[in-house]
Amino acid sequence: DVKVTQSSRYLVKRTGEKVFLECVQDMDHENMFWYRQDPGLGLRLIYFSYDVKMKEKGDIPEGYSVSREKKERFSLILESASTNQTSMYLCASSLWVATLMNTEAFFGQGTRLTVV
Amino acid sequence: AQTVTQSQPEMSVQEAETVTLSCTYDTSESDYYLFWYKQPPSRQMILVIRQEAYKQQNATENRFSVNFQKAAKSFSLKISDSQLGDAAMYFCAYRSENDYKLSFGAGTTVTVRA
């Protein structure tokens, strides 16, 4: 069974703290993604990675960085958390196959982060 | 990012009835993929149905079907014989053929009345 696991379901951090959100997938997927979900805005892409140590900015990368040292793990880092980063964060992964581009993305259960 | 618009923030349906969720998107490409994802209160996003733009036939998965109108850039989801377990937020998503990334709409919350 496909699995994307996020390390925390709920997290409360203080303004200015460095925050790590961890995501692990067990499907040997090449692609991994971090999305932010806010009411009325849907899911917005923060960063994605198509291979180990490779990363690309999404639509809202400001204030975030990422790390992918191993294929199965993709970390989202908030260098100095701010209250406007209070949100739901969703990790996803997908297979990259050149001849099968309609592959779906599989999601973790989300981390609800509150910055106080 | 591609623009995906879901104009209905909330929809309510009686159990066993049918509800249709609308989605429009903006693209200049001819080859792409469209998806409907379901997010129940557990927060686990689940793929409901997908459609390849090059296929004229509308996709169907059991009680879920789509009405894909390529010229109108419209991709609506019909849920037939609604069940209590269908209550969730539904997201429409777009992906270009040559890209890895999904662009999502704002979501529609579906409530099912017993």
Coordinates of all heavy atoms in Angstrom, one line a residue, chain A residues 64-105:
Chain A
Y64 N 10.8 29.8 2.9 CA 11.0 28.4 3.0 C 12.2 27.9 2.3 O 12.7 28.6 1.4 CB 9.8 27.6 2.4 CG 8.4 28.0 3.0 CD1 7.6 29.0 2.3 CD2 7.9 27.4 4.1 CE1 6.4 29.4 2.8 CE2 6.6 27.7 4.6 CZ 5.9 28.7 3.9 OH 4.7 29.1 4.4
S65 N 12.7 26.8 2.8 CA 13.8 26.1 2.0 C 13.5 24.6 2.2 O 12.6 24.2 3.0 CB 15.2 26.4 2.5 OG 15.3 26.0 3.9
V66 N 14.2 23.8 1.4 CA 13.9 22.3 1.4 C 15.3 21.6 1.4 O 16.3 22.1 1.0 CB 13.0 21.9 0.2 CG1 11.6 22.3 0.4 CG2 13.6 22.3 -1.1
S67 N 15.2 20.3 1.7 CA 16.3 19.5 1.7 C 15.9 18.1 1.2 O 14.9 17.5 1.7 CB 17.0 19.4 3.1 OG 18.0 18.4 3.1
R68 N 16.7 17.5 0.3 CA 16.4 16.1 -0.1 C 17.8 15.4 -0.3 O 18.4 15.4 -1.3 CB 15.6 16.1 -1.4 CG 15.1 14.6 -1.6 CD 14.0 14.6 -2.7 NE 13.5 13.3 -2.9 CZ 12.9 12.9 -4.0 NH1 12.7 13.8 -5.0 NH2 12.5 11.7 -4.2
E69 N 18.2 14.8 0.8 CA 19.4 14.1 0.9 C 19.3 12.6 0.5 O 20.2 12.0 0.1 CB 20.1 14.2 2.3 CG 20.4 15.6 2.7 CD 21.5 16.2 1.8 OE1 22.4 15.5 1.4 OE2 21.3 17.4 1.4
K70 N 18.1 12.1 0.7 CA 17.8 10.7 0.3 C 16.5 10.7 -0.5 O 15.6 11.6 -0.3 CB 17.6 9.8 1.6 CG 18.9 9.7 2.4 CD 18.7 8.7 3.5 CE 20.0 8.5 4.3 NZ 19.8 7.5 5.4
K71 N 16.4 9.7 -1.4 CA 15.2 9.7 -2.3 C 13.9 9.7 -1.5 O 12.9 10.2 -2.0 CB 15.4 8.5 -3.2 CG 14.4 8.4 -4.3 CD 14.7 7.3 -5.2 CE 13.7 7.3 -6.5 NZ 14.0 6.1 -7.4
E72 N 13.9 9.0 -0.4 CA 12.6 8.8 0.3 C 12.2 9.9 1.2 O 11.1 9.9 1.7 CB 12.6 7.5 1.1 CG 13.6 7.5 2.2 CD 15.0 7.0 1.9 OE1 15.3 7.0 0.7 OE2 15.7 6.6 2.8
R73 N 13.1 10.9 1.4 CA 12.8 11.9 2.4 C 12.9 13.3 1.8 O 13.9 13.6 1.2 CB 13.8 11.7 3.6 CG 13.5 12.6 4.8 CD 14.6 12.3 5.9 NE 14.5 11.0 6.3 CZ 13.8 10.6 7.4 NH1 13.0 11.5 8.0 NH2 13.7 9.3 7.8
F74 N 11.9 14.1 2.2 CA 11.9 15.5 1.7 C 11.5 16.4 2.8 O 10.4 16.2 3.4 CB 10.9 15.6 0.5 CG 11.0 16.9 -0.3 CD1 12.2 17.5 -0.5 CD2 9.8 17.4 -0.8 CE1 12.2 18.7 -1.3 CE2 9.9 18.6 -1.6 CZ 11.1 19.2 -1.8
S75 N 12.4 17.3 3.2 CA 12.1 18.1 4.4 C 11.8 19.6 4.0 O 12.5 20.1 3.1 CB 13.4 18.1 5.3 OG 13.7 16.8 5.7
L76 N 10.9 20.2 4.7 CA 10.6 21.6 4.5 C 11.1 22.3 5.7 O 10.8 21.9 6.8 CB 9.1 21.8 4.3 CG 8.6 23.2 4.2 CD1 9.0 23.8 2.8 CD2 7.1 23.3 4.3
I77 N 11.8 23.4 5.5 CA 12.4 24.2 6.5 C 11.9 25.6 6.6 O 11.9 26.3 5.5 CB 13.9 24.2 6.4 CG1 14.5 22.7 6.3 CG2 14.6 24.9 7.5 CD1 15.8 22.6 5.7
L78 N 11.4 26.0 7.7 CA 11.1 27.4 7.9 C 12.2 28.0 8.7 O 12.4 27.7 9.9 CB 9.8 27.6 8.7 CG 8.5 27.2 7.9 CD1 8.4 25.8 7.6 CD2 7.3 27.7 8.8
E79 N 13.1 28.8 8.1 CA 14.3 29.3 8.7 C 14.0 30.1 10.0 O 14.7 30.1 11.0 CB 15.1 30.1 7.7 CG 15.6 29.3 6.6 CD 16.8 28.4 7.0 OE1 17.4 28.6 8.1 OE2 17.1 27.4 6.2
S80 N 13.0 31.0 9.9 CA 12.6 31.8 11.0 C 11.0 32.0 10.9 O 10.5 32.8 10.2 CB 13.2 33.2 10.9 OG 12.8 34.0 12.0
A81 N 10.3 31.1 11.7 CA 8.9 31.0 11.5 C 8.2 32.4 11.9 O 8.6 33.1 12.8 CB 8.3 29.9 12.5
S82 N 7.2 32.6 11.1 CA 6.4 33.8 11.3 C 4.9 33.5 11.4 O 4.5 32.4 10.9 CB 6.6 34.9 10.2 OG 6.2 34.3 9.0
T83 N 4.1 34.3 11.9 CA 2.7 34.0 12.1 C 2.0 33.8 10.8 O 1.0 33.0 10.8 CB 2.0 35.1 13.0 OG1 2.2 36.4 12.3 CG2 2.5 35.2 14.4
N84 N 2.4 34.4 9.8 CA 1.8 34.2 8.5 C 2.1 32.9 7.8 O 1.6 32.6 6.7 CB 2.0 35.4 7.5 CG 3.5 35.6 7.1 OD1 4.3 34.7 7.4 ND2 3.8 36.7 6.5
Q85 N 2.9 32.1 8.5 CA 3.2 30.8 8.0 C 2.3 29.7 8.8 O 2.5 28.5 8.5 CB 4.7 30.4 8.2 CG 5.6 31.3 7.2 CD 7.0 31.0 7.4 OE1 7.6 31.0 8.5 NE2 7.7 30.7 6.3
T86 N 1.4 30.2 9.6 CA 0.5 29.3 10.2 C -0.4 28.8 9.1 O -1.1 29.5 8.4 CB -0.4 30.1 11.2 OG1 0.4 30.4 12.4 CG2 -1.6 29.2 11.7
S87 N -0.5 27.5 9.0 CA -1.2 26.9 7.8 C -1.2 25.3 7.9 O -0.6 24.8 8.9 CB -0.5 27.3 6.5 OG -1.2 26.8 5.4
M88 N -1.8 24.7 7.0 CA -1.7 23.3 6.8 C -0.7 23.0 5.7 O -0.7 23.6 4.6 CB -3.1 22.7 6.4 CG -3.0 21.2 6.0 SD -3.0 20.2 7.4 CE -4.8 20.2 7.7
Y89 N 0.2 22.1 6.0 CA 1.3 21.7 5.0 C 1.1 20.3 4.6 O 1.0 19.4 5.4 CB 2.7 21.9 5.6 CG 3.0 23.4 5.9 CD1 2.6 24.0 7.0 CD2 3.6 24.2 4.9 CE1 2.8 25.4 7.2 CE2 3.8 25.5 5.1 CZ 3.4 26.1 6.2 OH 3.7 27.5 6.4
L90 N 1.1 20.1 3.3 CA 0.9 18.8 2.7 C 2.1 18.4 1.9 O 2.5 19.1 1.0 CB -0.4 18.7 1.8 CG -1.7 18.8 2.6 CD1 -2.8 19.1 1.6 CD2 -2.0 17.6 3.3
C91 N 2.6 17.2 2.1 CA 3.6 16.6 1.3 C 3.0 15.6 0.3 O 2.0 15.0 0.6 CB 4.6 15.9 2.3 SG 5.9 15.0 1.4
A92 N 3.6 15.5 -0.8 CA 3.1 14.6 -1.8 C 4.3 14.0 -2.6 O 5.4 14.5 -2.6 CB 2.2 15.3 -2.8
S93 N 4.1 12.8 -3.2 CA 5.1 12.2 -4.1 C 4.4 11.7 -5.3 O 3.2 11.4 -5.3 CB 5.9 11.1 -3.3 OG 5.1 10.0 -3.1
S94 N 5.2 11.5 -6.4 CA 4.7 10.9 -7.6 C 5.8 10.2 -8.3 O 7.0 10.6 -8.2 CB 4.0 11.9 -8.5 OG 4.9 12.9 -9.0
L95 N 5.4 9.3 -9.2 CA 6.4 8.6 -10.0 C 6.6 9.4 -11.2 O 5.7 10.0 -11.8 CB 5.8 7.3 -10.4 CG 6.6 6.2 -11.1 CD1 7.8 5.8 -10.2 CD2 5.7 5.0 -11.5
W96 N 7.9 9.4 -11.7 CA 8.2 10.0 -13.0 C 8.5 9.0 -14.0 O 9.5 8.2 -13.8 CB 9.4 11.0 -12.8 CG 9.6 11.7 -14.2 CD1 9.1 12.8 -14.6 CD2 10.5 11.2 -15.2 NE1 9.5 13.1 -15.9 CE2 10.4 12.2 -16.3 CE3 11.3 10.1 -15.4 CZ2 11.1 12.1 -17.5 CZ3 12.1 10.0 -16.6 CH2 11.9 11.0 -17.6
V97 N 7.6 8.8 -14.9 CA 7.9 7.9 -16.0 C 7.6 8.6 -17.3 O 6.5 9.1 -17.5 CB 6.9 6.7 -15.9 CG1 7.2 5.7 -17.1 CG2 7.1 5.9 -14.6
A98 N 8.6 8.7 -18.2 CA 8.5 9.5 -19.3 C 7.3 9.2 -20.2 O 6.7 10.0 -20.8 CB 9.8 9.4 -20.1
T99 N 7.0 7.9 -20.2 CA 5.9 7.5 -21.1 C 4.6 7.3 -20.4 O 3.6 6.9 -21.0 CB 6.2 6.1 -21.8 OG1 6.5 5.2 -20.7 CG2 7.5 6.2 -22.6
L100 N 4.5 7.7 -19.2 CA 3.3 7.6 -18.4 C 3.1 8.8 -17.6 O 3.2 8.8 -16.4 CB 3.3 6.4 -17.5 CG 2.0 5.9 -16.9 CD1 1.0 5.5 -18.0 CD2 2.3 4.8 -15.9
M101 N 2.8 9.9 -18.3 CA 2.8 11.2 -17.6 C 1.6 11.5 -16.8 O 1.5 12.5 -16.1 CB 3.0 12.3 -18.6 CG 4.5 12.4 -19.1 SD 5.7 12.8 -17.8 CE 5.3 14.5 -17.5
N102 N 0.6 10.6 -16.8 CA -0.6 10.9 -16.1 C -0.6 10.3 -14.7 O -1.6 10.0 -14.1 CB -1.9 10.4 -16.8 CG -1.9 8.9 -16.9 OD1 -0.9 8.2 -16.8 ND2 -3.0 8.3 -17.2
T103 N 0.6 10.1 -14.2 CA 0.7 9.5 -12.9 C 0.1 10.4 -11.8 O 0.3 11.6 -11.8 CB 2.1 9.1 -12.5 OG1 2.9 10.3 -12.6 CG2 2.7 8.1 -13.4
E104 N -0.6 9.8 -10.8 CA -1.2 10.6 -9.8 C -0.2 11.0 -8.7 O 0.9 10.3 -8.6 CB -2.4 9.9 -9.2 CG -1.9 8.6 -8.4 CD -3.1 7.9 -7.8 OE1 -3.6 8.4 -6.8 OE2 -3.5 6.9 -8.4
A105 N -0.5 12.0 -7.9 CA 0.3 12.3 -6.8 C -0.3 11.7 -5.5 O -1.6 11.6 -5.4 CB 0.4 13.8 -6.6

